[in-house]
Amino acid sequence: MPAFIDFNQVWLKYNPTLDFAIEDVSVSIAEHEFIAIVGPSGCGKSTFMKLGTGLKPPTKGTVTVDGKAVSGPLKITGMAFQAPNLLPWRTTLDNVLLPLEIVEPYKSSFREKRAEYEARAMMLINTVGLGGWERKFPWELSGGMQQRASICRALVHEPKLLMLDEPFGALDAFTREELWCVLRDLHAANPFTVVLVTHDLREATFLADTVYVMSKRPGRILAKKHIDLPRPRDIEVTYSEPFSRIVHELREHIGMIRKS
Amino acid sequence: MQSFFEKHAPTLLTVALLLVWEGTCRIFTIDPFVLPMPSAIWDALIEYRGPIWDHAQQTFWTTMVGFAVAVVVGIVLGSLLGSSQLIYRACYPLLVGFNSIPKAAFVPILVVWFGIGSLPAIITAFLISFFPIVVNVATGLATLEPELEDVLRALGATRFEILRKVGLPRSMPFFFASLKVAITLAFVGTVVSEISASNAGIGYLMMSASSSLKTALMFAGVIVISIMAMVMYELFAWIEKRMTGWAHRGQQSNA
């Protein structure tokens, strides 16, 4: 299967006077693959996202997405971050609709097809369990609900690539596990490629097909681990022995980072 | 009983202050030329209500025109400054330097350029009031969350789209807050200019009252200006509340 996203020996400096943020990163992601990048804070995980979405060009090396070298914003990406970043003057529904007001082909037909798009957004909103809250404003929602809305916004334009930067980092453990399942189901129902940046090893192991471990700055890929736990995975699997073994193994790579 | 005092505290304090003023003037028989009693000021307001009304209208409309120009320039300049680091860096020292000039110092120059009349007053009102609008709009735009900008840029949004969909709505609370400051400043600008370079307006009325030693009429002028400025301030405070309620409620409950 040809790679959907291909990082070929990518190096990036934000500023000529600074050190490299990531060094010699080569990663190949298949279409519809769910990968996770784990590593300590400031290891260039977010840099990886900026490269993959075309927000930053690499200093050295090439990034190819969908067979084309990336040279600018891709428009096929949805993004969500640790902070939900919803617009406080828009209702939940209007927040979710925002990408459709910006990306073609939706943008030009947004006015006439608004009802159709609203229905589509509502389907997503219902899927993530936000039904009934679509007319509420973000400040009326809990943190977990805001994050659900943020994920809807990232997916409403049916992106081929979903980039998640520690999306569940600020949530409590129970909400986090609930949203893992939401994301798992969304990915299973309507496949898209996912890049999940996280420092939660259980999260990475539970959700991803492949986990990459990055070193601290300058970021390098230290290990690649294929997670062969069968799908669909239930939250119960996180208490199973094979699961713990994988988490443990990943943890050992992180431990090595700290020593080096 | 307590709630009565709480509810009417501002009115009671104002009345008390006026009574003290009136009483002090009467007890110490202060020369009304130096400090007229509130009752004398009231009499002056009634006696000269015709001219005061005309001059107040002149001042009001002059201020509104200057203020309107300040709003337009403020939004445009603020948007430019807020959306480009380069423009921001280039313009900021100039703007700060300009803002530190006492605007009254411009009036003689404006008189040379435009003569006596409404135009110098409009320009002074504009000059004095546009700065807070520029700064606030620029700040509102410049403090856009970088992640949110990434979300939109990754979708291929143009700068203008980000400005229209996120930047401007987001800076509205800043903008409306600045309007309250700017409208009161605009009145200052108009009156300062009218005092030295006009033959109409409350500022002019006060100057001529001064030269004919009608102190009570001068105080009447001061009161008329402050009432106009207060009403406009309250109007913009009300508009702010109506337009940007989300910003205030958002801070209240952040679950």
Side-chain angles (χ1 to χ4, degrees):
Chain A
M1 196 165 171
F4 178 64
I5 305 178
D6 191 50
F7 278 60
N8 187 9
Q9 295 175 322
V10 171
W11 301 58
L12 181 101
K13 266 187 196 192
Y14 279 101
N15 183 316
T17 58
L18 292 175
D19 291 334
F20 282 101
I22 61 170
E23 270 185 10
D24 195 24
V25 168
S26 293
V27 171
S28 177
I29 307 167
E31 185 154 28
H32 302 166
E33 190 177 356
F34 194 135
I35 73 139
I37 298 178
V38 296
S41 294
C43 71
K45 293 172 294 189
S46 304
T47 306
F48 189 89
M49 292 190 49
K50 292 203 180 211
L51 287 164
T53 50
L55 289 174
K56 282 265 170 212
T59 314
K60 275 196 263 176
T62 48
V63 179
T64 318
V65 173
D66 207 6
K68 289 180 284 279
V70 174
S71 58
L74 288 172
K75 309 185 187 190
I76 57 160
T77 325
M79 289 174 110
F81 297 84
Q82 179 167 347
N85 282 315
L86 300 173
L87 306 179
W89 57 90
R90 285 173 169 242
T91 61
T92 304
L93 178 62
D94 284 335
N95 264 293
V96 173
L97 286 170
L98 179 69
L100 302 184
E101 295 171 30
I102 289 171
V103 186
E104 294 293 0
Y106 311 105
K107 181 176 146 190
S108 42
S109 59
F110 188 77
R111 270 157 204 267
E112 63 217 63
K113 291 197 183 162
R114 193 182 166 102
E116 179 190 318
Y117 294 155
E118 273 187 13
R120 175 200 294 209
M122 278 312 300
M123 250 168 61
L124 262 175
I125 287 172
N126 287 326
T127 314
V128 302
L130 268 187
W133 294 85
E134 64 276 4
R135 301 282 165 201
K136 300 275 188 221
F137 286 90
W139 72 79
E140 299 172 286
L141 270 51
S142 70
M145 292 162 93
Q146 291 186 25
Q147 200 54 266
R148 287 168 208 248
S150 175
I151 290 170
C152 289
R153 181 179 66 189
L155 287 174
V156 73
H157 56 295
E158 298 188 334
K160 296 171 93 170
L161 173 61
L162 178 64
M163 289 272 191
L164 300 169
D165 190 350
E166 294 180 28
F168 312 127
L171 304 175
D172 69 83
F174 307 110
T175 311
R176 197 179 307 160
E177 290 186 357
E178 223 178 297
L179 287 192
W180 291 354
C181 298
V182 165
L183 183 57
R184 172 199 64 194
D185 296 341
L186 285 168
H187 181 247
N190 195 359
F192 40 85
T193 310
V194 187
V195 175
L196 169 72
V197 167
T198 178
H199 6 242
D200 186 338
L201 299 176
R202 292 179 63 238
E203 178 172 303
T205 310
F206 178 68
L207 286 167
D209 300 312
T210 315
V211 177
Y212 293 86
V213 181
M214 268 182 108
S215 71
K216 66 181 179 192
R217 225 161 229 256
R220 285 170 161 276
I221 302 282
L222 284 185
K224 173 183 176 180
K225 172 77 186 162
H226 185 68
I227 312 289
D228 45 14
L229 299 168
R231 289 182 183 273
R233 295 172 194 161
D234 190 76
I235 208 78
E236 274 303 311
V237 82
T238 63
Y239 303 103
S240 70
E241 207 277 321
F243 187 90
S244 308
R245 208 167 45 231
I246 296 167
V247 173
H248 197 202
E249 188 191 328
L250 291 171
R251 185 69 189 82
E252 276 174 351
H253 287 295
I254 307 271
M256 279 158 59
I257 295 169
R258 301 212 68 180
K259 260 179 259 157
S260 66
Chain B
M1 201 59 200
Q2 200 194 349
S3 71
F4 174 82
F5 275 113
E6 265 174 31
K7 200 173 160 193
H8 298 283
T11 324
L12 290 174
L13 181 65
T14 313
V15 171
L17 214 64
L18 288 174
L19 286 176
V20 169
W21 180 354
E22 181 92 20
T24 313
C25 289
R26 283 179 192 272
I27 292 165
F28 297 101
T29 54
I30 294 172
D31 189 342
F33 168 67
V34 177
L35 181 67
M37 291 178 289
S39 57
I41 297 168
W42 177 253
D43 290 341
L45 265 173
I46 301 297
E47 186 185 345
Y48 297 100
R49 61 182 180 278
I52 287 176
W53 175 245
D54 294 339
H55 288 296
Q57 281 191 350
Q58 165 72 21
T59 299
F60 181 79
W61 289 116
T62 306
T63 307
M64 285 306 118
V65 174
F67 177 69
V69 178
V71 170
V72 174
V73 173
I75 292 176
V76 172
L77 207 55
S79 304
L80 282 174
L81 253 63
S83 47
S84 158
Q85 273 290 324
L86 180 68
I87 300 179
Y88 188 86
R89 287 228 316 277
C91 294
Y92 201 70
L94 268 178
L95 273 169
V96 172
F98 175 78
N99 189 49
S100 57
I101 302 171
K103 301 305 169 299
F106 277 113
V107 177
I109 302 172
L110 293 174
V111 171
V112 171
W113 288 349
F114 304 109
I116 301 274
S118 304
L119 200 52
I122 290 172
I123 295 173
T124 316
F126 156 70
L127 287 177
I128 205 168
S129 64
F130 87 99
F131 187 74
I133 305 178
V134 171
V135 170
N136 276 277
V137 171
T139 310
L141 291 175
T143 52
L144 178 63
E145 293 86 350
E147 285 98 353
L148 189 53
E149 209 178 334
D150 278 354
V151 169
L152 296 169
R153 287 213 301 136
L155 294 171
T158 60
R159 276 200 122 104
F160 179 69
E161 276 174 323
I162 297 177
L163 186 72
R164 197 164 57 94
K165 296 277 182 204
V166 184
L168 285 178
R170 204 180 160 288
S171 62
M172 281 301 109
F174 296 86
F175 171 68
F176 282 110
S178 74
L179 289 190
K180 292 190 298 188
V181 179
I183 187 68
T184 37
L185 285 176
F187 275 105
V188 174
T190 305
V191 172
V192 160
S193 175
E194 283 171 353
I195 283 175
S196 52
S198 181
N199 36 32
I202 295 287
Y204 166 76
L205 179 73
M206 287 176 64
M207 265 323 272
S208 49
S210 166
S211 51
S212 51
L213 308 182
K214 290 175 188 152
T215 317
L217 181 55
M218 290 167 62
F219 273 90
V222 170
I223 286 166
V224 168
I225 293 166
S226 65
I227 288 173
M228 286 196 290
M230 269 163 61
V231 167
M232 293 312 289
Y233 180 93
E234 286 300 327
L235 175 68
F236 282 105
W238 179 77
I239 295 175
E240 180 189 16
K241 244 189 181 157
R242 289 291 305 270
M243 301 290 288
T244 62
W246 56 266
H248 304 289
R249 270 175 293 178
Q251 284 154 6
Q252 232 172 58
S253 72
N254 206 346

